Amino acid sequence: MAESSRANRGWWDRNADEYQVEHGTFLGDDRFVWGPEGLDEVEAELLGPPEDLKGRDVLEIGAGAAQCSRWLAAQGARPVALDISHRQLQHALRIGGPFPLVCADAGALPFADSSFDLACSAYGALPFVADPVLVLREVRRVLRPGGRFVFSVTHPIRWAFPDEPGPEGLSVSASYFDRTPYVEQGEDGHAVYVEHHRTIGDRVRDIVAADLRLVDLVEPEWPAWNTSEWGGWSPLRGNLIPGTAIFVCVRD
């Protein structure tokens, strides 16, 4: 857990500028997009109808430049944007917004119990942590009873395919059941980037182990309007295999 956190904090600090330049236009400054398919919270309403967000305390985990928090604030919510990367949060500060920015690890949330009505994470934290149950338990701890946590990750089936947007990304090349993390190492042998693979079943069991209740699992289809490529995501692949999985959970 510590090595993954250290590696990914460093990677995002080094690469935040490039990431925001490359993807900032697609993400916008104040949109809430769940993944490269472009599913927007305005349409999805996975956190609830926009009118129900007013006055709600919301924690965004892995906020990056806090685009989602900015949209939440515009709906009258009271968001807090948390990220492990100081450089990502500097981009959030550059764009601006009437909400706090917190630099912290999702596995040790610096908030009191029952501080938030809602929590969300669009590709933040969960793909990069070695112990997702620890993070989910922390989220449950800071949620109020009845609170909802919605998070999106790379769809687990993608781990069986090469991470390529073209035809070469359509042939199975690895076992879906191999949980070996994807690790990039520096010259000194230490990890500098880590992603962890969990199957769909693993994700469901993690949610249950954290004493959360799964109420929906959304697999966004690729829309006709989206002609963009984002890493291994593309219209070609998106029309054939899912690229994102969104888990909707509740603290009873």
Side-chain angles (χ1 to χ4, degrees), residues 238-252:
N239 284 317
L240 296 172
I241 55 174
T244 296
I246 309 173
F247 297 84
V248 183
C249 315
V250 170
R251 177 191 170 179
D252 288 324

Side-chain angles (χ1 to χ4, degrees), residues 22-170:
E22 185 175 357
H23 302 299
T25 300
F26 180 85
L27 293 172
D29 286 344
D30 55 1
R31 288 180 65 206
F32 194 134
V33 182
W34 284 109
E37 294 84 3
L39 178 64
D40 200 300
E41 177 60 11
V42 169
E43 305 163 1
E45 296 188 357
L46 299 180
L47 292 170
E51 60 269 21
D52 290 351
L53 297 174
K54 188 174 182 179
R56 297 293 189 108
D57 296 308
V58 188
L59 175 62
E60 183 187 4
I61 298 171
Q67 288 93 342
C68 299
S69 286
R70 217 165 277 110
W71 180 85
L72 287 163
Q75 312 312 308
R78 294 190 295 264
V80 174
L82 177 143
D83 202 280
I84 197 172
S85 166
H86 182 258
R87 186 59 180 165
Q88 283 280 60
L89 291 176
Q90 285 183 315
H91 283 283
L93 191 64
R94 168 181 58 81
I95 299 170
F99 47 84
L101 306 176
V102 178
C103 191
D105 194 305
L109 296 174
F111 307 107
D113 296 357
S114 302
S115 294
F116 298 96
D117 301 300
L118 299 164
C120 58
S121 184
Y123 274 81
L126 270 302
F128 308 104
V129 297
D131 188 352
V133 176
L134 175 63
V135 173
L136 291 167
R137 284 176 176 160
E138 275 290 274
V139 173
R140 184 192 183 281
R141 179 183 65 77
V142 302
L143 277 177
R144 294 170 183 140
R148 175 172 288 211
F149 177 43
V150 185
F151 68 93
S152 62
V153 295
T154 302
H155 197 291
I157 195 63
R158 285 292 178 102
W159 282 74
F161 295 83
D163 191 26
E164 298 289 342
E168 62 273 31
L170 296 176

